[in-house]
Structures are given as C-alpha cells and as structure tokens.
Amino acid sequence: MRRVEPYANLAGSVRVPGDKSASHRAVMLSALASGTSTIEGLSPGLDVVASSHIMIQLGATRHDDGTTVIITGPAQGHRASHQPLRCANSGTTIRLVSGIGSSLEGHHRLVGDSSLSRRPMDRVAVPLGLMGSKVTGEGIRVTPPLDIVGSSHLNGIDYHVPTSSAQVKSAILLAGLHATGASTVHEALRTRTTTEDMLRLAGVTIQSEDVDVGRRVTLSPGRPSARAWTVPADPSQAAFFCVLGLLHSHADVEVVDVENSPERIGFVHVLERMGADLVQRPGASGVTLRARSSSLQATEIHAGEIPSVDEAPILTVAAAAAQGVSAFRDMGELRLKESDRFEGSMALARLLGCNVWSEGDDFFVEGLGSAAAFLPFAIHASLDHRIVMSSAVAGAAGQGCDIDGSDTVSSSYPGFFDDLASLR
Ligand code: S3P
C-alpha cells in the first residue's frame, strides 16, 4: 500500500520518460533492420523491456552504453524462439509482436500477465489470419496466451479496421513488411501515427492520406534501415502532471520536451476548453507545457478527441474538480485496456465524492468545483498504471490517498513517484 499525502504547494519542472509508443517501435524497427541502430531517450518502462527481450529472443542483440541503447538486427535473419515470448502487462507488445511473428516462419507462443490475459486479440488475429498467418487464443475474443504459426509467404491486405486502433494498424503494417504486395489499412478515426512516421524514417515506402475524419495508410514491403532514433517525452504521461498543476490550488508545474502530434495532444485542447491555465511553448525537442492552478468548467469529451483514450482516467480526475457535469462520449474502448477503465474511471470519481453515472458507452461526472473538495480515499490499482497515476494526482491535489498495487506504474513510468515527490 502506498500513501500519497496532499501537497501544500507544487512547483518545478519534470521531464517524463520517452514516449512508450515510440520506444516500442524504436526497439522493434531497430531489431528488424539489418545493421546497428542507436536509441536515445528510450522509455525505461517494463512494457518496453518486454518488447526488447522478445526482439532479442527473435535474434537481435542489445547493449546499453550509458543513456544510449544499441540494437543490431541479425544479419542472418530472424528465427522463432523455443521459449514463450513474455509480453508482461503490455498490449502494444503482444499486438505488434503478433504482426512481426506472423511473417516469421515457425511457432510463436505469446504470454502475458493476468491483466493482458483478459484483453481481446481477435482484433489482430482476424487481419493477420487474412494475410496468411494463424493466430489462436482462448475463446471467441482470442485472449492470451496466443499461439501463432508464422509464414514467410503472407499476402498484402486491404483492411478496414472495425474499431480504430493504433496497435491493430501497427500489427498489420509490421506483418506487411514481409508480405507479397502492398498492405492498406483504413481507419475511421485517426490514431497515432508513430508506426507510419517511424517506418518512413527507416526508409520504408509508406503513404498516408487523411480521408474525412479517418485515414488510409498503404505500405510497400521492405526491410527497415538501421538508424539513430531519438524518443521524445510521452504526452500521455505529461497529462498527469498537467492536471496536477491545474487542480492544485498553489501550483506552477512545467513538463518539458513533450511530443507534439495531433493524435497525442488532444488532452491539452480539452483542458483549455475547461478553462485551464495551460501554456504551450514550442522548443527544439518538443513542446513545454506549463500548468498553473486553475478553476475548471465541465466539458463534453468525445473519444475521437483523445484517440486511444489513454488520457480518459486523468481527464476524469479533472472533471471531478470542475464546476458542472462533464460528459465522456463513446468511451467503450476504455473497458478493454489494462483494466476496465470505464468502470475504473467512474469508480475513482465516485471515491472522490462525485455523483457519476453511465448510459451505454458514455459516462458523466458531476464535478465538485475544486480538488479541495475531494475526499480522502483508498483504491486498488488492478495492474493498471494509468489508474495508479490518476489516483496519485487526485490524492496529491486533494486530501491524500492510499494506493494498493502502485508498483504497476513500473510498466510505463518507474520513476513516477520520484518525479511527483520532486514537485513538493
Ligand atoms: C498504443 C495504442 C493504444 C494505447 C496504448 C499505446 C500504441 O491503443 O492505448 O497505450 O502504442 O500503439 P489503441 O490500439 O486502442 O489505439
């Protein structure tokens, strides 16, 4: 059980870890390339460690030289591992490695922790199956452990992703690297572009075209080239410190070098709309976000504004401190994250003292008008790093909290509690 005391005042500057999404891809693309790549700013989270171990199992080598990670792809080609590929708590690892394994001849067994073992993998099993691999798991939703029979003769695919997902898009594109013919992924809502952007930087031919509110991405097969990667700071982690700075009544907090791309920074626009004193200052390595104590107003948030909905739990905490009723619309995907974040976000707001209700895939939070009105609370984290960090922010800005299972922050942000303490 970890105790978070309320903070008397908050000031300082934080650099959150390297973006988790870019870190997974930097490791995977480096390992898939022929030659040696370097990575600066890699996320130290255990999710990325899991991806790195797996790529080593498949034939890459890694060594760390101070802050630089050096990865060499196997000149003689990748090979299936006789050992299970351990994906730990990481949905990105299991879904992207499903794509990589699908195009690699042999049998791959992918396993995860109890949280990952309840998450649906049919969303990757179906398109990868259409490409010519065989991905099987438990039950109709194909939950892990997964067994994949990879094939070096995959076909390209033209696929409309039923529920827009960066992980599904990425699994298809990574499998498509070794397919015969091009692969096209259509998404109805634009998800983060990390995979396309990084594949392009690695010399792979890939076109991306915005269509209405969605996007069409077409990849031609090819092997990524080795290169030097620099990973910017993770916007979804920055969101925790931004909300902390806004909610606390005596706060001035800066988060530096944050990746600034439209699909990642939607939470900033939501908070601005709520009346936040949140200033963006562009810099050479991303944007600096400065958050100062603010009085927030309720708003309506649609899932499409924060694609992948990673920021929904912390925005729920912001809504709990706002004046009025906030609506979170079309948030069904929250149920399928590391824990059921639909119920988890509502439960957190309820613990803070809010009136909360849901209708279908929407939920509503009647704010208390200020974090000073939050109740002290205790919560169980259910192997979900974002629930831990959202709870800690609510406790530090409000009346304190006790978090059971807080160690699960290590999956994405091992130094979170140290960085939080540094602002005291
Ligand atoms: C991620 C995609 C996500 C997101 C996760 C990271 C990625 O979800 O929740 O934290 O790196 O591709 P979707 O696949 O639902 O977009």
Side-chain angles (χ1 to χ4, degrees):
M1 186 75 83
R2 180 187 286 270
R3 172 90 196 133
V4 177
E5 297 291 350
Y7 280 32
N9 47 51
L10 277 161
S13 179
V14 176
R15 191 193 192 278
V16 299
D19 177 34
K20 187 157 72 72
S21 293
S23 295
H24 283 291
R25 278 116 173 133
V27 164
M28 291 175 188
L29 297 188
S30 299
L32 292 175
S34 150
T36 297
S37 297
T38 56
I39 311 173
E40 304 286 343
L42 189 72
S43 162
L46 297 182
D47 284 10
V48 174
V49 171
S51 288
S52 173
H53 279 160
I54 289 172
M55 296 316 294
I56 292 167
Q57 277 178 268
L58 299 180
T61 55
R62 166 178 172 164
H63 68 274
D64 294 17
D65 179 4
T67 56
T68 307
V69 173
I70 301 164
I71 295 185
T72 305
Q76 70 285 17
H78 300 84
R79 45 165 168 65
S81 170
H82 296 303
Q83 302 299 321
L85 306 177
R86 300 190 185 284
C87 304
N89 188 247
S90 174
T92 306
T93 304
I94 199 165
R95 294 192 175 122
L96 272 56
V97 169
S98 294
I100 291 170
S102 284
S103 67
L104 181 57
E105 205 71 46
H107 171 241
H108 317 279
R109 186 163 175 84
L110 278 60
V111 301
D113 69 6
S114 60
S115 152
L116 192 64
S117 299
R118 55 162 277 284
R119 298 182 66 186
M121 298 299 145
D122 50 341
R123 53 184 62 197
V124 288
V126 169
L128 295 172
L130 291 170
M131 294 175 85
S133 114
K134 188 158 178 262
V135 181
T136 49
E138 304 282 324
I140 188 139
R141 299 304 310 263
V142 192
T143 53
L146 295 184
D147 287 292
I148 300 184
V149 182
S151 160
S152 53
H153 297 97
L154 295 184
N155 311 306
I157 192 178
D158 188 308
Y159 191 70
H160 290 257
V161 180
T163 304
S164 300
S165 153
Q167 291 169 349
V168 174
K169 169 175 68 180
S170 304
I172 296 169
L173 295 175
L174 290 172
L177 287 174
H178 297 291
T180 304
S183 293
T184 299
V185 181
H186 306 258
E187 51 186 17
L189 284 177
R190 288 173 208 146
T191 66
R192 65 192 67 186
T193 56
T194 326
T195 300
E196 302 91 289
D197 295 345
M198 293 178 71
L199 280 169
R200 195 175 292 116
L201 286 171
V204 174
T205 303
I206 190 157
Q207 273 112 31
S208 170
E209 199 183 337
D210 289 349
V211 183
D212 192 14
V213 291
R215 185 177 281 134
R216 177 169 57 229
V217 182
T218 299
L219 166 131
S220 302
R223 190 170 186 183
S225 306
R227 69 184 305 279
W229 299 105
T230 302
V231 180
D234 191 321
S236 307
Q237 311 284 26
F240 296 107
F241 291 106
C242 290
V243 172
L244 178 62
L246 300 174
L247 263 52
H248 194 280
S249 51
H250 297 96
D252 186 349
V253 173
E254 257 191 4
V255 195
V256 302
D257 296 344
V258 179
E259 179 190 336
N260 184 10
S261 64
E263 295 79 7
R264 303 300 304 280
I265 215 81
F267 73 90
V268 171
H269 306 305
V270 172
L271 290 168
E272 282 170 347
R273 202 164 67 222
M274 295 175 82
D277 181 356
L278 184 57
V279 176
Q280 303 183 46
R281 206 174 57 243
S285 339
V287 68
T288 292
L289 298 169
R290 182 177 184 188
R292 282 175 287 194
S293 311
S294 304
S295 247
L296 299 182
Q297 300 300 315
T299 190
E300 178 164 332
I301 303 164
H302 189 272
E305 285 185 273
I306 48 167
S308 302
V309 292
D310 286 345
E311 299 79 22
I314 191 61
L315 288 175
T316 303
V317 174
Q323 192 83 49
V325 176
S326 290
F328 289 76
R329 302 275 183 202
D330 204 14
M331 296 283 164
E333 275 292 296
L334 280 178
R335 298 193 174 93
L336 304 174
K337 300 289 182 180
E338 283 83 331
S339 67
D340 179 345
R341 288 185 189 153
F342 190 96
E343 290 301 327
S345 298
M346 289 204 300
L348 175 54
R350 214 171 269 127
L351 285 170
L352 294 172
C354 298
N355 188 17
V356 183
W357 64 99
S358 64
E359 288 166 18
D361 285 342
D362 301 341
F363 68 91
F364 304 86
V365 177
E366 185 172 0
L368 301 172
S370 157
F374 286 175
L375 300 174
F377 67 99
I379 193 164
H380 178 72
S382 306
L383 288 179
D384 192 329
H385 54 132
R386 296 197 205 279
I387 296 295
V388 176
M389 292 186 274
S390 301
S391 302
V393 165
Q399 305 300 325
C401 66
D402 291 297
I403 308 173
D404 185 20
S406 65
D407 289 352
T408 200
V409 284
S410 299
S411 65
S412 69
Y413 195 165
F416 172 76
F417 284 102
D418 294 335
D419 286 349
L420 183 63
S422 77
L423 297 173
R424 196 185 277 279

